[in-house]
Amino acid sequence: MDLGIAGKWALVCGASKGLGLGCAQALVREGVNVLIVARGAEVLEATAAKLIADSARPAGASVQFVAADITTVEGRAAVFAVRKDFDIVVTNAGGPPPGDFRDWDRDAWIKAVDANMLTPIELIKATVDGMAARGFGRIINITSSAVKAPIDILGLSNGARSGLTGFVAGVARSKLAGQGVTLNNLLPGAFDTDRLKATMKGAAEKTGQPVYAVLDARRKTIPAQRFGTPEEFGAICAFLCSMHAGYITGQNVLADGGAYPGSF
């Protein structure tokens, strides 16, 4: 299927590895020009080289990168100094650490909200009007399945991402919807990423079990009986960014192998 977005420009955050990389790779393969952002300069540069060398990348698809912390004012300024206008924005920032809510002080909460709620809002604010003026725009926020089924040790993430979800629900149904701009959240369940390994390590330390045992037990709770891959996550993201997804907005798209037990 031709997604109809070749030649568009995309900003993909947290794209040096994991789900962000999966999204960037899928977009590049559709002929989208991407500007990828992450904090680690060395890994990010290697990722950009990998995307450029991808045999599935159309010759015209450009890959640029900025090593910056997108959760800071300075980091966002560095990105927009390279390019101001984007047709597609994929927001993504590393989730806050797991733990016991009794141990989190105000600073921990502010940091979580700043990274996982306020940063996406700032990126949306900076780009949607330009998208609306051009008659096309796609905002994809990578959040978490914990928005629908909260996980006790991920309270910081549960709270901050739920706040973003409520914000997006309103903005997606504003006049932007009639100007060709869609805003959706993509909710990953258990995907084979460093984030999953870190979370499972935290669970292992809490229960005293080996990490491999915790990972195996987690895998068995998923109807699909496996963890997702960044590549398939990226494919979902690319479709939501496509011309064919213009009637999908304000949605929380759950990709979790069937783990969420609810009907709605």
PDB file of all heavy atoms in Angstrom, residues 35-59:
ATOM      1  N   LEU A  35      13.875  14.013  10.520  1.00  0.00           N
ATOM      2  CA  LEU A  35      14.844  14.609  11.421  1.00  0.00           C
ATOM      3  C   LEU A  35      14.702  13.845  12.727  1.00  0.00           C
ATOM      4  O   LEU A  35      13.658  13.899  13.376  1.00  0.00           O
ATOM      5  CB  LEU A  35      14.548  16.094  11.645  1.00  0.00           C
ATOM      6  CG  LEU A  35      15.421  16.819  12.690  1.00  0.00           C
ATOM      7  CD1 LEU A  35      16.893  16.737  12.325  1.00  0.00           C
ATOM      8  CD2 LEU A  35      14.987  18.267  12.828  1.00  0.00           C
ATOM      9  N   ILE A  36      15.723  13.092  13.078  1.00  0.00           N
ATOM     10  CA  ILE A  36      15.653  12.277  14.288  1.00  0.00           C
ATOM     11  C   ILE A  36      16.392  12.971  15.426  1.00  0.00           C
ATOM     12  O   ILE A  36      17.402  13.635  15.208  1.00  0.00           O
ATOM     13  CB  ILE A  36      16.208  10.854  14.057  1.00  0.00           C
ATOM     14  CG1 ILE A  36      17.652  10.877  13.573  1.00  0.00           C
ATOM     15  CG2 ILE A  36      15.321  10.103  13.056  1.00  0.00           C
ATOM     16  CD1 ILE A  36      18.291   9.493  13.466  1.00  0.00           C
ATOM     17  N   VAL A  37      15.862  12.794  16.616  1.00  0.00           N
ATOM     18  CA  VAL A  37      16.397  13.469  17.789  1.00  0.00           C
ATOM     19  C   VAL A  37      16.582  12.465  18.925  1.00  0.00           C
ATOM     20  O   VAL A  37      15.735  11.598  19.145  1.00  0.00           O
ATOM     21  CB  VAL A  37      15.450  14.589  18.277  1.00  0.00           C
ATOM     22  CG1 VAL A  37      16.072  15.353  19.434  1.00  0.00           C
ATOM     23  CG2 VAL A  37      15.112  15.528  17.141  1.00  0.00           C
ATOM     24  N   ALA A  38      17.673  12.594  19.641  1.00  0.00           N
ATOM     25  CA  ALA A  38      17.921  11.823  20.859  1.00  0.00           C
ATOM     26  C   ALA A  38      19.071  12.500  21.588  1.00  0.00           C
ATOM     27  O   ALA A  38      19.768  13.356  21.026  1.00  0.00           O
ATOM     28  CB  ALA A  38      18.255  10.367  20.551  1.00  0.00           C
ATOM     29  N   ARG A  39      19.284  12.116  22.842  1.00  0.00           N
ATOM     30  CA  ARG A  39      20.302  12.779  23.642  1.00  0.00           C
ATOM     31  C   ARG A  39      21.714  12.301  23.330  1.00  0.00           C
ATOM     32  O   ARG A  39      22.660  13.089  23.333  1.00  0.00           O
ATOM     33  CB  ARG A  39      19.995  12.580  25.127  1.00  0.00           C
ATOM     34  CG  ARG A  39      18.815  13.384  25.615  1.00  0.00           C
ATOM     35  CD  ARG A  39      18.456  13.039  27.046  1.00  0.00           C
ATOM     36  NE  ARG A  39      17.974  11.663  27.162  1.00  0.00           N
ATOM     37  CZ  ARG A  39      17.577  11.119  28.298  1.00  0.00           C
ATOM     38  NH1 ARG A  39      17.633  11.805  29.422  1.00  0.00           N
ATOM     39  NH2 ARG A  39      17.136   9.868  28.324  1.00  0.00           N
ATOM     40  N   GLY A  40      21.892  11.009  23.075  1.00  0.00           N
ATOM     41  CA  GLY A  40      23.232  10.459  22.877  1.00  0.00           C
ATOM     42  C   GLY A  40      23.741  10.676  21.464  1.00  0.00           C
ATOM     43  O   GLY A  40      23.261  10.045  20.514  1.00  0.00           O
ATOM     44  N   ALA A  41      24.701  11.569  21.303  1.00  0.00           N
ATOM     45  CA  ALA A  41      25.179  11.950  19.974  1.00  0.00           C
ATOM     46  C   ALA A  41      25.778  10.773  19.208  1.00  0.00           C
ATOM     47  O   ALA A  41      25.504  10.592  18.011  1.00  0.00           O
ATOM     48  CB  ALA A  41      26.208  13.073  20.099  1.00  0.00           C
ATOM     49  N   GLU A  42      26.593   9.972  19.867  1.00  0.00           N
ATOM     50  CA  GLU A  42      27.285   8.883  19.173  1.00  0.00           C
ATOM     51  C   GLU A  42      26.307   7.836  18.648  1.00  0.00           C
ATOM     52  O   GLU A  42      26.373   7.423  17.490  1.00  0.00           O
ATOM     53  CB  GLU A  42      28.298   8.237  20.115  1.00  0.00           C
ATOM     54  CG  GLU A  42      29.171   7.181  19.437  1.00  0.00           C
ATOM     55  CD  GLU A  42      30.241   6.642  20.373  1.00  0.00           C
ATOM     56  OE1 GLU A  42      30.485   7.248  21.433  1.00  0.00           O
ATOM     57  OE2 GLU A  42      30.845   5.598  20.033  1.00  0.00           O
ATOM     58  N   VAL A  43      25.388   7.410  19.500  1.00  0.00           N
ATOM     59  CA  VAL A  43      24.403   6.407  19.083  1.00  0.00           C
ATOM     60  C   VAL A  43      23.472   6.976  18.017  1.00  0.00           C
ATOM     61  O   VAL A  43      23.129   6.297  17.046  1.00  0.00           O
ATOM     62  CB  VAL A  43      23.585   5.913  20.294  1.00  0.00           C
ATOM     63  CG1 VAL A  43      22.494   4.936  19.850  1.00  0.00           C
ATOM     64  CG2 VAL A  43      24.500   5.240  21.305  1.00  0.00           C
ATOM     65  N   LEU A  44      23.080   8.248  18.179  1.00  0.00           N
ATOM     66  CA  LEU A  44      22.181   8.883  17.214  1.00  0.00           C
ATOM     67  C   LEU A  44      22.827   8.979  15.836  1.00  0.00           C
ATOM     68  O   LEU A  44      22.181   8.704  14.812  1.00  0.00           O
ATOM     69  CB  LEU A  44      21.790  10.273  17.705  1.00  0.00           C
ATOM     70  CG  LEU A  44      20.780  11.026  16.838  1.00  0.00           C
ATOM     71  CD1 LEU A  44      19.434  10.305  16.822  1.00  0.00           C
ATOM     72  CD2 LEU A  44      20.613  12.452  17.346  1.00  0.00           C
ATOM     73  N   GLU A  45      24.094   9.351  15.788  1.00  0.00           N
ATOM     74  CA  GLU A  45      24.807   9.450  14.506  1.00  0.00           C
ATOM     75  C   GLU A  45      24.890   8.079  13.839  1.00  0.00           C
ATOM     76  O   GLU A  45      24.708   7.956  12.618  1.00  0.00           O
ATOM     77  CB  GLU A  45      26.199  10.021  14.722  1.00  0.00           C
ATOM     78  CG  GLU A  45      26.958  10.262  13.425  1.00  0.00           C
ATOM     79  CD  GLU A  45      28.271  10.993  13.646  1.00  0.00           C
ATOM     80  OE1 GLU A  45      28.583  11.332  14.807  1.00  0.00           O
ATOM     81  OE2 GLU A  45      28.980  11.219  12.646  1.00  0.00           O
ATOM     82  N   ALA A  46      25.134   7.038  14.630  1.00  0.00           N
ATOM     83  CA  ALA A  46      25.185   5.680  14.084  1.00  0.00           C
ATOM     84  C   ALA A  46      23.813   5.258  13.547  1.00  0.00           C
ATOM     85  O   ALA A  46      23.715   4.588  12.517  1.00  0.00           O
ATOM     86  CB  ALA A  46      25.656   4.704  15.157  1.00  0.00           C
ATOM     87  N   THR A  47      22.760   5.667  14.252  1.00  0.00           N
ATOM     88  CA  THR A  47      21.400   5.353  13.803  1.00  0.00           C
ATOM     89  C   THR A  47      21.093   6.050  12.490  1.00  0.00           C
ATOM     90  O   THR A  47      20.504   5.450  11.580  1.00  0.00           O
ATOM     91  CB  THR A  47      20.386   5.775  14.880  1.00  0.00           C
ATOM     92  OG1 THR A  47      20.611   5.014  16.067  1.00  0.00           O
ATOM     93  CG2 THR A  47      18.966   5.547  14.400  1.00  0.00           C
ATOM     94  N   ALA A  48      21.477   7.309  12.383  1.00  0.00           N
ATOM     95  CA  ALA A  48      21.252   8.049  11.138  1.00  0.00           C
ATOM     96  C   ALA A  48      21.960   7.369   9.967  1.00  0.00           C
ATOM     97  O   ALA A  48      21.403   7.231   8.872  1.00  0.00           O
ATOM     98  CB  ALA A  48      21.732   9.487  11.294  1.00  0.00           C
ATOM     99  N   ALA A  49      23.194   6.924  10.216  1.00  0.00           N
ATOM    100  CA  ALA A  49      23.955   6.223   9.177  1.00  0.00           C
ATOM    101  C   ALA A  49      23.255   4.930   8.765  1.00  0.00           C
ATOM    102  O   ALA A  49      23.209   4.569   7.582  1.00  0.00           O
ATOM    103  CB  ALA A  49      25.367   5.936   9.664  1.00  0.00           C
ATOM    104  N   LYS A  50      22.682   4.249   9.751  1.00  0.00           N
ATOM    105  CA  LYS A  50      21.957   3.009   9.479  1.00  0.00           C
ATOM    106  C   LYS A  50      20.722   3.273   8.625  1.00  0.00           C
ATOM    107  O   LYS A  50      20.432   2.519   7.682  1.00  0.00           O
ATOM    108  CB  LYS A  50      21.564   2.360  10.804  1.00  0.00           C
ATOM    109  CG  LYS A  50      20.741   1.084  10.662  1.00  0.00           C
ATOM    110  CD  LYS A  50      20.364   0.524  12.033  1.00  0.00           C
ATOM    111  CE  LYS A  50      19.469  -0.702  11.901  1.00  0.00           C
ATOM    112  NZ  LYS A  50      19.069  -1.231  13.244  1.00  0.00           N
ATOM    113  N   LEU A  51      20.007   4.344   8.933  1.00  0.00           N
ATOM    114  CA  LEU A  51      18.811   4.675   8.158  1.00  0.00           C
ATOM    115  C   LEU A  51      19.180   5.074   6.728  1.00  0.00           C
ATOM    116  O   LEU A  51      18.486   4.703   5.771  1.00  0.00           O
ATOM    117  CB  LEU A  51      18.051   5.821   8.838  1.00  0.00           C
ATOM    118  CG  LEU A  51      17.380   5.493  10.175  1.00  0.00           C
ATOM    119  CD1 LEU A  51      16.807   6.753  10.803  1.00  0.00           C
ATOM    120  CD2 LEU A  51      16.283   4.449   9.997  1.00  0.00           C
ATOM    121  N   ILE A  52      20.255   5.817   6.587  1.00  0.00           N
ATOM    122  CA  ILE A  52      20.697   6.228   5.249  1.00  0.00           C
ATOM    123  C   ILE A  52      21.116   5.023   4.416  1.00  0.00           C
ATOM    124  O   ILE A  52      20.870   4.956   3.215  1.00  0.00           O
ATOM    125  CB  ILE A  52      21.859   7.239   5.366  1.00  0.00           C
ATOM    126  CG1 ILE A  52      21.338   8.562   5.957  1.00  0.00           C
ATOM    127  CG2 ILE A  52      22.505   7.487   4.005  1.00  0.00           C
ATOM    128  CD1 ILE A  52      22.426   9.538   6.340  1.00  0.00           C
ATOM    129  N   ALA A  53      21.730   4.043   5.074  1.00  0.00           N
ATOM    130  CA  ALA A  53      22.224   2.852   4.373  1.00  0.00           C
ATOM    131  C   ALA A  53      21.131   1.816   4.123  1.00  0.00           C
ATOM    132  O   ALA A  53      21.374   0.825   3.428  1.00  0.00           O
ATOM    133  CB  ALA A  53      23.363   2.214   5.168  1.00  0.00           C
ATOM    134  N   ASP A  54      19.957   2.023   4.671  1.00  0.00           N
ATOM    135  CA  ASP A  54      18.860   1.064   4.527  1.00  0.00           C
ATOM    136  C   ASP A  54      18.505   0.890   3.049  1.00  0.00           C
ATOM    137  O   ASP A  54      18.158   1.851   2.369  1.00  0.00           O
ATOM    138  CB  ASP A  54      17.636   1.571   5.309  1.00  0.00           C
ATOM    139  CG  ASP A  54      16.525   0.545   5.410  1.00  0.00           C
ATOM    140  OD1 ASP A  54      16.502  -0.418   4.610  1.00  0.00           O
ATOM    141  OD2 ASP A  54      15.656   0.703   6.283  1.00  0.00           O
ATOM    142  N   SER A  55      18.596  -0.324   2.577  1.00  0.00           N
ATOM    143  CA  SER A  55      18.329  -0.587   1.155  1.00  0.00           C
ATOM    144  C   SER A  55      16.877  -0.318   0.776  1.00  0.00           C
ATOM    145  O   SER A  55      16.571  -0.134  -0.412  1.00  0.00           O
ATOM    146  CB  SER A  55      18.684  -2.045   0.824  1.00  0.00           C
ATOM    147  OG  SER A  55      17.905  -2.951   1.586  1.00  0.00           O
ATOM    148  N   ALA A  56      15.985  -0.269   1.773  1.00  0.00           N
ATOM    149  CA  ALA A  56      14.570  -0.006   1.496  1.00  0.00           C
ATOM    150  C   ALA A  56      14.248   1.483   1.479  1.00  0.00           C
ATOM    151  O   ALA A  56      13.113   1.872   1.218  1.00  0.00           O
ATOM    152  CB  ALA A  56      13.698  -0.709   2.536  1.00  0.00           C
ATOM    153  N   ARG A  57      15.233   2.325   1.752  1.00  0.00           N
ATOM    154  CA  ARG A  57      15.015   3.771   1.743  1.00  0.00           C
ATOM    155  C   ARG A  57      15.016   4.296   0.320  1.00  0.00           C
ATOM    156  O   ARG A  57      15.989   4.126  -0.399  1.00  0.00           O
ATOM    157  CB  ARG A  57      16.117   4.485   2.543  1.00  0.00           C
ATOM    158  CG  ARG A  57      16.001   6.024   2.522  1.00  0.00           C
ATOM    159  CD  ARG A  57      17.151   6.676   3.282  1.00  0.00           C
ATOM    160  NE  ARG A  57      18.437   6.468   2.627  1.00  0.00           N
ATOM    161  CZ  ARG A  57      18.953   7.288   1.701  1.00  0.00           C
ATOM    162  NH1 ARG A  57      18.285   8.376   1.314  1.00  0.00           N
ATOM    163  NH2 ARG A  57      20.124   7.024   1.167  1.00  0.00           N
ATOM    164  N   PRO A  58      13.947   4.963  -0.124  1.00  0.00           N
ATOM    165  CA  PRO A  58      13.953   5.583  -1.450  1.00  0.00           C
ATOM    166  C   PRO A  58      15.070   6.624  -1.532  1.00  0.00           C
ATOM    167  O   PRO A  58      15.383   7.292  -0.534  1.00  0.00           O
ATOM    168  CB  PRO A  58      12.575   6.244  -1.538  1.00  0.00           C
ATOM    169  CG  PRO A  58      11.715   5.455  -0.602  1.00  0.00           C
ATOM    170  CD  PRO A  58      12.635   5.084   0.534  1.00  0.00           C
ATOM    171  N   ALA A  59      15.638   6.777  -2.683  1.00  0.00           N
ATOM    172  CA  ALA A  59      16.801   7.644  -2.845  1.00  0.00           C
ATOM    173  C   ALA A  59      16.541   9.080  -2.412  1.00  0.00           C
ATOM    174  O   ALA A  59      17.449   9.775  -1.942  1.00  0.00           O
ATOM    175  CB  ALA A  59      17.263   7.616  -4.300  1.00  0.00           C
TER     176      ALA A  59
END
